[in-house]
Amino acid sequence: MIVEIDFNSDEAIYIQLRNQIVIGIATAEIREGESLPSVRDLAEHIGINMHTVNKAYSILKQEGYLQLDRRKGAIIALDPEKYDARLAMMEDLRVILAEGICKEISCEEVHRIVDLVFREFKREV
Amino acid sequence: MIVEIDFNSDEAIYIQLRNQIVIGIATAEIREGESLPSVRDLAEHIGINMHTVNKAYSILKQEGYLQLDRRKGAIIALDPEKYDARLAMMEDLRVILAEGICKEISCEEVHRIVDLVFREFKREV
DNA sequence: GACTATGTTATATTTTAAGTATAACAGCTA
DNA sequence: TAGCTGTTATACTTAAAATATAACATAGTC
């Protein structure tokens, strides 16, 4: 799995990292049971500080994407029951769909875009 | 239109403001041609600095939601051609849908949530 | 003309978050 | 013992957010 950090982005590095790992899990680039690089290795590879990686891993753990083992490292272990994901998604979608309505994107168009992204992610499963 | 700022949120105040105004436009709480409070009035009403409101207004102008007039104030004036909104939406959806897949939310469920939010926003048009 | 309101710009300051730098600890493996 | 994990702690630097004052140009109103 390739991690690309945009250092000019307005998004924090640990957020970018967290998002890319979530996308990596969704697209099955990394699968359940597999492990991520250690915080030190990944930090060195990207060229950032260890604590920044650790912050991303901690968030992913708290959100139910990872299990962190002091001896084995970071292992993908999905816990769908961690929180109400449907409610969270609805909250996130609220702003995006409001933008879409203002830009005259129809509900049908949104459905098409959703399908497109789903197909992109589910391609190789 | 009621503006609610969560001062404990991790989201910047000017972002919260910008998002709520976008949602307000999408739900037709404020309509095209209507005007927002002046930067000074809104700032005082919320209890924040003038520049924070000004930043939100400037962003909304740049995104094609407002026209700012030095004499008349801030007027809703939608410009759907301002940028490729479909591409922007797809980029925003990528992370949210990846989260959904990891949390075992099906494509059909997403469609249902999208419809729900659309109906909520379009209720009184 | 004087006054008031608008957005706009400028500058300086404070506050907060992000990121870095070092170091140490606890637990496991080889 | 040596080396690898995540974890925690502390201190520092950097960047962004938010505040505080002030001034300007432009219009409308009294």
Side-chain angles (χ1 to χ4, degrees):
Chain A
M1 166 180 192
I2 306 140
V3 178
E4 293 271 358
I5 299 297
D6 177 6
F7 290 97
N8 293 321
S9 171
D10 54 335
E11 239 176 2
I13 296 174
Y14 73 92
I15 298 285
Q16 291 186 51
L17 233 176
R18 179 264 177 197
N19 286 345
Q20 292 199 28
I21 292 171
V22 170
I23 290 177
I25 299 172
T27 58
E29 283 182 78
I30 13 172
R31 292 160 204 269
E32 196 144 12
E34 292 181 1
S35 58
L36 294 172
S38 77
V39 287
R40 289 172 179 82
D41 282 354
L42 187 51
E44 193 185 12
H45 177 256
I46 301 176
I48 58 174
N49 194 276
M50 185 198 76
H51 290 89
T52 308
V53 178
N54 194 50
K55 192 168 183 180
Y57 280 16
S58 299
I59 291 173
L60 287 165
K61 173 188 180 185
Q62 203 236 324
E63 291 178 333
Y65 292 100
L66 291 182
Q67 274 183 2
L68 295 177
D69 193 314
R70 185 168 291 167
R71 45 201 183 287
K72 292 178 189 170
I75 300 167
I76 307 293
L78 300 181
D79 180 4
E81 308 292 332
K82 197 74 187 185
Y83 60 92
D84 192 338
R86 280 154 198 81
L87 211 67
M89 174 176 286
M90 192 158 160
E91 214 45 56
D92 290 337
L93 280 179
R94 211 176 291 275
V95 175
I96 294 178
L97 295 185
E99 290 171 4
I101 289 172
C102 294
K103 297 301 178 183
E104 295 177 359
I105 298 179
S106 71
C107 187
E108 289 70 28
E109 280 184 279
V110 175
H111 283 266
R112 241 172 287 142
I113 296 172
V114 167
D115 287 339
L116 211 67
V117 177
F118 252 89
R119 239 172 287 144
E120 177 193 335
F121 283 173
K122 292 285 196 179
R123 199 179 298 156
E124 47 193 334
V125 175
Chain B
M1 170 184 188
I2 305 139
V3 178
E4 293 271 357
I5 299 297
D6 177 7
F7 290 97
N8 294 322
S9 170
D10 53 337
E11 237 176 2
I13 296 174
Y14 74 91
I15 298 285
Q16 291 185 52
L17 232 176
R18 179 264 178 197
N19 286 345
Q20 291 199 26
I21 292 171
V22 170
I23 290 177
I25 299 172
T27 58
E29 282 181 78
I30 13 173
R31 291 160 206 268
E32 197 143 10
E34 292 182 0
S35 60
L36 294 171
S38 77
V39 288
R40 289 173 179 83
D41 281 353
L42 186 52
E44 193 184 13
H45 177 255
I46 300 174
I48 59 175
N49 193 276
M50 186 198 74
H51 291 88
T52 308
V53 178
N54 194 50
K55 191 167 183 180
Y57 280 16
S58 299
I59 291 173
L60 288 165
K61 174 188 179 184
Q62 204 235 326
E63 291 178 332
Y65 292 100
L66 289 183
Q67 274 184 1
L68 296 177
D69 193 314
R70 186 168 289 167
R71 45 202 183 285
K72 293 179 187 169
I75 300 168
I76 307 294
L78 300 181
D79 180 5
E81 307 293 331
K82 198 72 187 183
Y83 59 92
D84 192 339
R86 279 154 198 82
L87 210 68
M89 174 177 284
M90 193 158 159
E91 215 44 57
D92 290 337
L93 280 178
R94 211 176 291 276
V95 175
I96 295 180
L97 295 185
E99 290 170 5
I101 289 173
C102 295
K103 297 301 180 182
E104 294 176 2
I105 299 179
S106 70
C107 188
E108 288 70 29
E109 279 183 280
V110 175
H111 283 263
R112 239 173 288 142
I113 296 172
V114 167
D115 287 339
L116 212 65
V117 176
F118 252 90
R119 237 172 287 145
E120 178 193 334
F121 284 173
K122 292 285 197 180
R123 199 179 297 156
E124 45 192 335
V125 175

